[in-house]
């Protein structure tokens, strides 16, 4: 009689060759429910105890199993939004400390309007004069405003992208290119409104203020206080329309290209690992595509946030005046330094993000 209550192993009886089905569990895959079992597997002896199967798996366990199975993406699970926010923030902070001098030079060249005699003859001249006048620290003027903003910016970007993209993935965890474009657009708009616009406004004013004969901003918090006192809270949201357009198209292009290259690289094997160098190469390519795609919007945004922003009635008026007074090539001012910065920026951010997520998966269980 004791044998009636002994758990039966699928490999020991008529269920040996059965395909997995709901109600029985495989020894090799204890979390996957069985799909088809011979009727002989369901013989019941006295007392209602099945001779051939383990007890039925509770419905809640089966639901969790399906969710975990659906979460597998390219050899890893869907990234939890909390992990995406934390990993994105860390990646953004590290990246901006490395690449800020190129952002400084790009902004200075964009502010060097042709309406006045240009101060800088090019990238090298801008770096030379800045170091000559302010020392090496001059290349990091405005870093504090960008650092305070870069951490939450990347956190919002990746967190929003994961929230939007996770429900859109197919059963294999793939995200098609059109949906990656839309998710990237949503991530860009979110970061523009919540973080980028006020951060960029303060950064541009700081850099522009350095060109003045008597700079009035002594530091980040002093500058923010002065801007709000003089212009109100709206003063930190100058150029919002241009910023939304720029950031939305930026992230739409970047995530689209990154997803396109990732899907191409993995081919029919979604579990194929990507080496960090491959991720960096794809990230740099995505960054370059975004630079050529939306630098005109970046130039307009920078002008709308500078100290001379009062000269423009709107985003369209700013674009019209640039075209009228400086010609179409003015929309691509600062392209070279921006190209160097953005390629490095996107490559670093994607690599650090992916590596931090891997580390978090080892210490932070969200299953």
């Amino acid at each position: 009689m004791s044998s009636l209550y002994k758990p039966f192993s699928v490999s020991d009886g008529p269920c040996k060759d059965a395909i997995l089905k709901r109600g029985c569990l495989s020894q090799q895959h204890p979390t996957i429910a069985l799909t088809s079992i011979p009727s002989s597997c369901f013989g019941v002896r006295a007392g209602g105890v099945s001779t051939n199967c383990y007890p039925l798996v509770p419905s809640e366990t089966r639901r969790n199993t399906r969710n975990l199975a659906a979460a597998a993406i390219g050899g890893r699970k869907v990234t939890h939004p909390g992990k995406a926010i934390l990993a994105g923030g860390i990646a953004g902070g590290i990246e901006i400390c490395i690449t800020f001098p190129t952002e400084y030079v790009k902004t200075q060249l964009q502010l060097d309007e042709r309406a006045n005699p240009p101060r800088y003859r090019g990238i090298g001249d801008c770096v030379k004069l800045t170091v000559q006048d302010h020392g090496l620290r001059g290349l990091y003027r405005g870093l504090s405003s960008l650092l305070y903003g870069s951490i939450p910016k990347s956190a919002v970007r990746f967190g929003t992208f994961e929230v939007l993209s996770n429900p859109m993935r197919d059963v294999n965890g793939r995200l098609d290119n059109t949906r990656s474009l839309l998710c990237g657009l949503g991530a860009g708009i979110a970061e523009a409104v919540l973080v980028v616009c006020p951060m960029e406004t303060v950064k541009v004013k700081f850099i522009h203020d350095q060109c003045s004969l008597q700079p009035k901003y002594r530091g980040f918090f002093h500058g923010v206080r002065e801007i709000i006192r003089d212009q109100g809270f709206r003063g930190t949201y100058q150029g919002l329309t241009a910023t939304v357009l720029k950031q939305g198209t930026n992230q739409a292009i970047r995530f689209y290209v990154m997803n396109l290259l990732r899907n191409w690289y993995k081919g029919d094997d979604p579990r194929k690992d990507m080496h960090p160098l491959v991720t960096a190469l794809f990230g740099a390519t995505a960054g370059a595509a975004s630079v050529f795609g939306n630098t005109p919007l970046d130039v307009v945004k920078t002008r709308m946030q500078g100290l001379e922003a009062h000269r423009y009635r709107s985003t369209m008026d700013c674009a019209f005046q640039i075209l009228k007074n400086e010609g179409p090539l003015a929309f691509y001012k600062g392209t070279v330094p921006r190209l160097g910065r953005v390629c490095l920026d996107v490559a670093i951010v994607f690599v650090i993000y992916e590596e931090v997520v891997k580390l978090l998966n080892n210490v932070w269980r969200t299953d």
Side-chain angles (χ1 to χ4, degrees):
M1 293 294 294
S2 61
S3 63
L4 294 176
Y5 300 94
K6 179 181 178 181
F8 184 85
S9 172
V10 172
S11 62
D12 293 336
C15 293
K16 177 180 179 181
D17 298 321
I19 302 174
L20 294 179
K21 177 169 182 146
R22 182 179 185 180
C24 291
L25 297 178
S26 163
Q27 288 181 319
Q28 289 80 11
H29 306 283
T31 60
I32 303 178
L34 303 178
T35 57
S36 176
I37 290 190
S39 58
S40 60
C41 288
F42 295 97
V44 179
R45 292 187 183 178
V49 180
S50 171
T51 61
N52 299 331
C53 295
Y54 288 101
L56 289 175
V57 181
S59 60
E60 181 179 356
T61 302
R62 292 198 300 272
R63 284 196 301 270
N64 291 339
T65 298
R66 287 194 296 270
N67 291 339
L68 290 178
I73 296 182
R76 66 176 177 83
K77 295 173 183 176
V78 168
T79 302
H80 186 277
K83 293 179 182 178
I85 291 172
L86 181 57
I90 293 172
I94 295 174
E95 173 274 323
I96 198 60
C97 290
I98 297 172
T99 64
F100 184 79
T102 60
E103 175 67 15
Y104 175 89
V105 173
K106 179 215 75 171
T107 303
Q108 286 284 32
L109 292 177
Q110 289 180 345
L111 291 171
D112 192 27
E113 303 180 34
R114 284 186 185 174
N116 301 316
R119 183 183 182 191
Y120 305 116
R121 295 190 299 270
I123 298 172
D125 187 54
C126 178
V127 173
K128 177 183 176 181
L129 290 178
T130 300
V131 174
Q132 180 180 316
D133 295 342
H134 305 283
L136 288 174
R137 292 182 60 183
L139 294 173
Y140 283 88
R141 182 67 183 270
L143 172 63
S144 57
S145 63
L146 212 57
L147 183 61
Y148 296 148
S150 288
I151 294 175
K153 176 181 74 172
S154 292
V156 169
R157 176 193 307 166
F158 284 100
T160 302
F161 184 81
E162 295 296 345
V163 168
L164 294 176
S165 66
N166 286 348
M168 295 186 179
R169 299 181 184 274
D170 62 22
V171 293
N172 294 319
R174 285 181 178 275
L175 182 67
D176 68 41
N177 298 327
T178 300
R179 291 178 177 179
S180 69
L181 183 78
L182 295 176
C183 292
L185 179 63
I189 291 174
E191 71 176 17
V193 175
L194 297 178
V195 182
V196 176
C197 189
M199 175 193 73
E200 287 283 308
T201 300
V202 173
K203 179 209 72 175
V204 172
K205 288 183 184 297
F206 272 17
I207 293 176
H208 208 171
D209 180 60
Q210 183 171 314
C211 299
S212 304
L213 295 177
Q214 295 181 333
K216 61 180 180 179
Y217 301 142
R218 297 193 298 269
F220 175 77
F221 294 106
H222 176 262
V224 172
R225 186 169 63 249
E226 289 297 308
I227 292 170
I228 293 177
R229 187 178 70 175
D230 295 342
Q231 305 171 34
F233 187 72
R234 292 182 59 185
T236 62
Y237 269 88
Q238 288 180 331
L240 176 60
T241 301
T243 303
V244 168
L245 291 173
K246 179 219 171 184
Q247 292 303 123
T249 56
N250 241 352
Q251 302 313 323
I253 293 171
R254 290 176 189 176
F255 279 106
Y256 172 82
V257 173
M258 191 68 188
N259 192 70
L260 178 70
L261 293 174
R262 182 186 286 116
N263 287 342
W264 167 78
Y265 180 80
K266 293 189 175 185
D268 296 329
D269 183 9
R271 295 180 180 276
K272 183 177 181 180
D273 288 331
M274 283 178 55
H275 191 278
L277 289 178
V278 176
T279 302
L281 179 61
F282 289 173
T285 303
S290 69
V291 168
F292 290 114
N294 78 346
T295 288
L297 290 172
D298 188 46
V299 172
V300 173
K301 176 198 71 68
T302 299
R303 296 287 180 86
M304 290 293 294
Q305 292 172 333
L307 297 179
E308 301 296 323
H310 61 273
R311 294 170 47 191
Y312 310 116
R313 295 190 301 273
S314 64
T315 300
M316 290 300 297
D317 180 60
C318 178
F320 176 76
Q321 289 197 38
I322 293 173
L323 180 63
K324 178 182 177 181
N325 299 328
E326 304 172 53
L329 290 180
F331 287 111
Y332 281 89
K333 274 190 171 183
T335 297
V336 175
R338 186 184 180 218
L339 183 64
R341 178 197 181 278
V342 169
C343 289
L344 187 60
D345 166 357
V346 180
I348 291 173
V349 167
F350 272 111
V351 170
I352 295 178
Y353 174 77
E354 294 292 341
E355 295 305 308
V356 172
V357 166
K358 290 178 184 177
L359 291 176
L360 290 177
N361 284 338
N362 293 328
V363 298
W364 182 3
R365 300 296 180 183
T366 54
D367 299 343

